Amino acid sequence: MDLSSFIAGLSIGLSLIVAIGAQNVFVLRQGLRGRHVFAVCLACALSDAILIVVGVTSFGKVAAVLPWIDPVMRYGGAAFLIWYGAKSLRSALRSKEAMAVEAAGGREDELGRTLLACLAITWLNPHVYLDTVVLLGTVSTQFAGSRGAFTAGAVAGSFLFFFSLGYGATRLRPLFAKPSAWRVLEGVIALVMWAIAGKLIASV
């Protein structure tokens, strides 16, 4: 296995997935509550793995038939990342809210309902497809001879992130009760998004 390609997939996958969104907040909240953490983390990681494999294996074939789609997707993906980075920076500068971690009990705690909500948040979120299928699929074209290693790294990144987020949530609770913690994280996300956008543009 090409270690450099694996690390590239791991780092890029983590950079994309760490952005604050409904899916990550759902996992974090379940971890903070200690409810069905393993099932939720596994559902998110497996969903990501499926979408990553689809992106890496299919995007290149489509690009071969439609050669113009690769640069279009690179510019489009870069534009989205620049916008997302600006949105994160704006949130970092203006946000005064902490994440609410309290949730109602009762039927909402049932495993089936929890997983259904988790899968809906994952598969009905258009940003998930952009991150995994389009962006990772686009970046993977730069690793023509080692896409397997790149894919393995990206998938490993998803498993690492979701299980770390879910099971590490209890330690994060005091931190993310402070609005300043979210502002710092959003600022870091902005820089990461812009760095990836710059790499996409430079590779066209």
Side-chain angles (χ1 to χ4, degrees):
M1 179 181 288
D2 187 334
L3 183 59
S4 62
S5 297
F6 178 88
I7 294 176
L10 178 68
S11 59
I12 294 174
L14 284 173
S15 297
L16 290 173
I17 202 173
V18 76
I20 296 300
Q23 185 187 43
N24 294 351
V25 171
F26 184 86
V27 174
L28 182 58
R29 185 175 289 116
Q30 289 300 123
L32 290 169
R33 295 171 60 215
R35 299 294 298 171
H36 311 303
V37 180
F38 180 83
V40 168
C41 292
L42 184 62
C44 290
L46 287 176
S47 295
D48 256 25
I50 292 171
L51 291 170
I52 289 169
V53 171
V54 169
V56 172
T57 58
S58 301
F59 188 83
K61 295 178 181 178
V62 174
V65 178
L66 304 172
W68 53 266
I69 199 171
D70 186 18
V72 168
M73 286 292 100
R74 289 179 192 273
Y75 280 123
F80 171 79
L81 292 174
I82 291 171
W83 171 82
Y84 202 103
K87 180 181 177 183
S88 294
L89 181 61
R90 180 181 180 183
S91 178
L93 295 175
R94 298 185 178 184
S95 177
K96 296 182 180 179
E97 298 180 357
M99 188 193 74
V101 299
E102 299 299 331
R107 297 186 66 185
E108 292 184 2
D109 283 336
E110 295 177 3
L111 176 59
R113 287 177 175 268
T114 299
L115 284 179
L116 183 61
C118 176
L119 293 174
I121 289 172
T122 299
W123 290 90
L124 298 180
N125 181 3
H127 289 168
V128 171
Y129 295 94
L130 181 62
D131 290 346
T132 54
V133 177
V134 178
L135 292 180
L136 280 174
T138 300
V139 175
S140 71
T141 60
Q142 302 177 41
F143 301 87
S146 54
R147 286 185 184 173
F150 178 86
T151 304
V155 170
S158 290
F159 275 84
L160 175 63
F161 175 79
F162 283 120
F163 278 92
S164 296
L165 180 63
Y167 284 99
T170 53
R171 296 186 179 183
L172 295 175
R173 184 166 192 167
L175 174 64
F176 283 97
K178 303 175 182 179
S180 58
W182 285 110
R183 289 197 294 267
V184 171
L185 183 58
E186 292 283 12
V188 172
I189 290 170
L191 294 177
V192 170
M193 295 296 103
W194 289 339
I196 297 174
K199 183 174 181 180
L200 284 175
I201 294 173
S203 64
V204 175

